[in-house]
Amino acid sequence: MPHASATRQSIIDAVLRIIGQDGIAAVTNRRIAKEAAVSLGSVTYHFATQHELLRESLLHFVAEETRHFTELADECSDEPFDIGRAAEVVARVAGGNAFDSRHIAPFELYVQAGRDERLRAAAADCFAAYDLLAARILTQLGVPDPERLAGVAVALVFGQQLRRLATGAPAEELVDTLLILTNFAPAPAEIR
């Protein structure tokens, strides 16, 4: 019999797959049990409510994303950086991978956080990690006021990723857009 934390993780992974494949409405205990290859009782034992399932799935995703993006941000602080290196990092963030159910699920979870304020703190943690990476990249590129522009860059990435998801547009469009943003970012005196 699998360890309790392994069972819990299997359930969370199943929830993220289901959300990515068919949306939040498709998350039922029976489907989770089947997808995770656990008993129905295991699902209800580990997660008492649907809210708890969604929250824990988002928190798991946030922890993975925060770790990944913090590591990328640290890489951006440690070595010389130019526009070519920035393009490489953006390409890694944007789309080395095709959109599969695991990559679609976060969009669904963020929309759910818009509906359920109890999930917003977890979503805010994830966006803080994205902002950190964006600020580090912008700093390395010498863009003025990188902390202020980081949120804009992150919003642009999400918008482009959503567009890519919806239209099948290539990841290169995102890289091009971010390079344009860094080239045309106004100096602080020009903003006023």
Side-chain angles (χ1 to χ4, degrees):
M1 186 163 148
H3 187 268
S5 63
T7 300
R8 187 175 178 84
Q9 187 60 53
S10 293
I11 293 168
I12 288 171
D13 291 341
V15 168
L16 290 172
R17 279 192 307 276
I18 293 165
I19 291 171
Q21 291 166 357
D22 297 315
I24 289 175
V27 176
T28 66
N29 288 353
R30 288 189 191 289
R31 175 128 182 231
I32 295 165
K34 181 179 178 184
E35 185 84 22
V38 299
S39 70
L40 185 57
S42 290
V43 175
T44 57
Y45 173 79
H46 288 283
F47 301 97
T49 65
Q50 285 284 324
H51 168 73
E52 186 182 348
L53 271 167
L54 294 175
R55 183 178 178 282
E56 289 300 314
S57 296
L58 180 58
L59 288 173
H60 173 73
F61 171 77
V62 165
E64 284 185 348
E65 287 286 277
T66 301
R67 180 188 50 74
H68 175 68
F69 284 102
T70 301
E71 287 171 3
L72 281 175
D74 290 345
E75 286 178 26
C76 294
S77 298
D78 295 341
E79 55 191 59
F81 217 74
D82 61 11
I83 203 74
R85 175 82 172 105
E88 288 174 22
V89 173
V90 170
R92 282 174 59 190
V93 169
N97 301 327
F99 275 112
D100 59 11
S101 63
R102 187 128 172 102
H103 292 92
I104 295 170
F107 288 96
E108 292 272 353
L109 289 166
Y110 290 139
V111 169
Q112 187 64 22
R115 292 183 189 113
D116 184 346
E117 68 183 54
R118 297 171 294 179
L119 296 175
R120 290 185 186 150
D125 289 344
C126 201
F127 278 97
Y130 300 148
D131 289 349
L132 174 66
L133 176 59
R136 296 262 175 93
I137 291 171
L138 295 171
T139 298
Q140 287 290 358
L141 292 173
V143 172
D145 206 3
E147 286 78 20
R148 185 180 62 80
L149 291 176
V152 173
V154 169
L156 181 61
V157 169
F158 267 81
Q160 285 290 78
Q161 288 289 75
L162 188 57
R163 179 182 181 150
R164 183 173 163 231
L165 171 65
T167 66
E172 291 79 22
E173 286 184 12
L174 174 60
V175 174
D176 291 345
T177 302
L178 286 177
L179 293 177
I180 290 167
L181 175 69
T182 60
N183 285 330
F184 293 106
E190 296 173 9
I191 295 171
R192 298 193 163 116

